[in-house]
Amino acid sequence: MSTALSLTQARNLHLAAQGLLQAPIRRAQASDIAACIGRMALLQIDTIHVVSRSPYLVLHARLGDYPREWLEDTLASAQIFETWAHEACFAPVDDLHIHRAYNRQARQHWGVANARTLAATQRPHLDKLLDHIRTHGPVKSSDFERPEGKGGAWWGWKDEKRWLEALFGLGELMITRRENFHRVYDLSERVAPQLLQPSPVPDAAALDVALIEKAVTALGITQARWIHDYFRTKPRLKDADLEPLVAAGTLLRVAVDGWDAPGYVHATHAPQLKKALAGQLQATHTALLSPFDPVVWDRERASAFFDFDYRLECYTPEEKRVYGYFVLPILCRGELIGRLDAKAHRAEGVLEVRALYAQAGQVWSEAQILDVANAIQRSADWHGTPRVRISHTQPAKLAAALRRALKHLKLKLERPEI
């Protein structure tokens, strides 16, 4: 471990791998959706949309403005697919066989476990539903009536919804497209005809190595104990588990100032590692992150990289929340400097910042205030809610500073010479 990185250098290497080190240099193109998901290896799906649903926010932080339908188009064109992984995720189609094999052999997740249980007890119903789809084509859950009323969580779903999800968990159905973000299910071989071609089935050891490499590549740099969380594999790894990959030159072991364990970099990132060591990776991007962004979805990792303790509170009872319902971490030039709870009021054209909190002990500079105001306004414009309303900040005086910065940005747009 003769190579030693400062924490800032390690952080910048991580952000570079995730596509968050610098702002995009051109307008987004449709092909960037698949490329961005390929870079991250996963894009987690969540349906909460007080601002936008999480996958759209994750992409916006990296690509800037883009039409949301590009994500659905990318799915419908089979450049990506849906799978259980970290949770429900979009993944690059090139990884289809790896995910299907891991889910079949080793995945420990309630969605897959419930699918196996249902298949053991209700197989005739599943087969009947498969025959219906085979004959009549793709279906949505809403195609089936629920006489007794609306459903909710897994235990409140109508039978057909549970059967569709079970067949998806078993890999017999895939998601061919989404309509208004609702899944449309079809036979897997029709969604991905490549599944009909004979291909070797990777064994458990090969799957483990493949997913380790993909996780380390997506993270840029990571400790051994963080790797398993990326794809939610088992077990949590130790340094000794990575020794064969280090010996083979697949992974590079490095020291990071302040870490009590070594970091690991995939060999394909050796040029970026060299740049990081030379101080040539400079963080210049500011963005609002989704609560389900890979950068913050591992609480321990986010704390080690950014000294940022982040916990999703939307599933916490309101009276127990500290920061708010759907809180967006604020990335500013390589640091997580705060968080904001926002809501898009589309009918009014207003993005409400219900609360914004600077990191404890930090005093934002004028440059940081302007960067954050820019990020908020970009998000507001993209949401079709160009008027920003700031209700509460901590410290309180930050509200006035942000309002001034937002007003200045509006004036610059109206009078570019300013």
Side-chain angles (χ1 to χ4, degrees):
M1 292 196 302
S2 57
T3 301
L5 291 163
S6 70
L7 182 57
T8 297
Q9 290 170 336
R11 187 188 300 152
N12 288 349
L13 180 55
H14 171 52
L15 292 173
Q18 280 285 316
L20 285 168
L21 187 69
Q22 298 177 338
I25 59 174
R26 58 165 173 78
R27 291 187 64 84
Q29 302 173 2
S31 59
D32 292 332
I33 301 295
C36 189
I37 295 171
R39 187 175 198 164
M40 294 183 291
L42 290 177
L43 176 60
Q44 187 172 340
I45 302 168
D46 192 83
T47 58
I48 298 171
H49 58 287
V50 290
V51 279
S52 279
R53 291 182 175 92
S54 177
Y56 303 112
L57 291 173
V58 173
L59 293 170
H60 184 259
R62 289 156 174 80
L63 302 177
D65 291 1
Y66 71 95
R68 287 168 186 75
E69 60 267 22
W70 281 359
L71 178 57
E72 283 77 8
D73 293 345
T74 304
L75 175 66
S77 62
Q79 299 174 70
I80 58 176
F81 70 102
E82 294 193 30
T83 184
W84 290 113
H86 183 84
E87 282 293 340
C89 291
F90 298 108
V93 72
D94 288 347
D95 295 345
L96 177 64
H97 288 290
I98 291 173
H99 283 287
R100 285 176 67 87
Y102 188 81
N103 287 353
R104 185 167 56 250
Q105 296 180 26
R107 173 65 60 200
Q108 299 178 36
H109 186 278
W110 67 265
V112 177
N114 282 338
R116 292 170 182 151
T117 299
L118 207 61
T121 58
Q122 301 187 38
R123 189 70 234 189
H125 293 295
L126 302 186
D127 290 338
K128 185 177 179 180
L129 184 52
L130 281 173
D131 286 341
H132 174 85
I133 295 170
R134 188 174 291 110
T135 302
H136 298 285
V139 300
K140 303 189 296 293
S141 171
S142 59
D143 294 337
F144 303 94
E145 294 294 333
R146 181 183 171 88
E148 65 271 29
K150 294 183 178 180
W154 173 271
W155 52 89
W157 285 348
K158 57 192 172 188
D159 287 340
E160 290 83 1
K161 173 65 173 175
R162 292 189 296 116
W163 296 335
L164 287 169
E165 284 297 304
L167 289 165
F168 170 72
L170 294 168
E172 297 177 51
L173 293 181
M174 290 179 64
I175 310 306
T176 186
R177 63 182 183 276
R178 280 183 177 252
E179 295 179 0
N180 295 321
F181 214 68
H182 296 292
R183 284 172 161 174
V184 180
Y185 304 80
D186 200 358
L187 302 179
S188 293
E189 60 267 26
R190 291 205 293 232
V191 178
Q194 61 268 42
L195 294 175
L196 295 172
Q197 301 298 320
S199 61
V201 178
D203 61 24
L207 282 174
D208 288 343
V209 169
L211 291 172
I212 288 170
E213 287 196 50
K214 288 183 179 298
V216 177
T217 302
L219 288 167
I221 180 170
T222 177
Q223 293 184 21
R225 63 176 177 259
W226 302 333
I227 293 172
H228 81 291
D229 180 73
Y230 206 79
F231 292 104
R232 293 277 167 85
T233 53
K234 300 286 185 180
R236 176 174 285 215
L237 299 175
K238 299 178 180 178
D239 295 309
D241 298 317
L242 301 182
E243 190 58 44
L245 292 173
V246 174
T250 304
L251 298 184
L252 310 174
R253 183 182 284 133
V254 298
V256 178
D257 291 344
W259 284 7
D260 61 0
Y264 296 89
V265 177
H266 197 275
T268 55
H269 280 323
Q272 288 82 1
L273 174 60
K274 185 176 180 181
K275 287 182 178 180
L277 285 163
Q280 295 172 355
L281 294 182
Q282 297 297 317
T284 60
H285 189 34
T286 299
L288 307 181
L289 303 185
S290 161
F292 301 98
D293 195 292
V295 168
V296 294
W297 73 29
D298 184 325
R299 190 175 182 182
E300 180 188 319
R301 171 162 50 83
S303 180
F305 268 121
F306 301 98
D307 193 22
F308 188 82
D309 185 26
Y310 183 76
R311 184 170 64 90
L312 184 66
E313 295 184 307
C314 58
Y315 305 116
T316 301
E318 185 173 2
E319 65 276 8
K320 295 183 179 180
R321 292 178 196 146
V322 177
Y323 295 109
Y325 178 72
F326 195 72
V327 175
L328 311 181
I330 302 170
L331 175 71
C332 182
R333 297 179 181 265
E335 298 179 282
L336 292 176
I337 65 169
R339 62 198 88 201
L340 65 85
D341 185 25
K343 179 176 177 59
H345 301 277
R346 290 173 177 81
E348 304 170 37
V350 172
L351 180 72
E352 179 188 6
V353 178
R354 294 167 162 176
L356 183 150
Y357 302 87
Q359 269 291 79
Q362 284 194 11
V363 178
W364 288 7
S365 68
E366 287 298 321
Q368 287 174 317
I369 291 169
L370 186 58
D371 281 348
V372 173
N374 255 304
I376 292 172
Q377 190 63 60
R378 286 197 307 270
S379 182
D381 292 341
W382 180 64
H383 281 97
T385 54
R387 289 188 292 126
V388 177
R389 183 166 68 227
I390 299 176
S391 300
H392 169 76
T393 65
Q394 185 175 312
K397 64 181 180 181
L398 196 52
L402 283 167
R403 291 186 189 112
R404 285 195 300 270
L406 289 163
K407 184 177 181 180
H408 179 70
L409 291 173
K410 290 283 189 184
L411 287 172
K412 283 190 69 174
L413 289 174
E414 294 168 6
R415 298 163 57 191
E417 72 277 6
I418 293 179

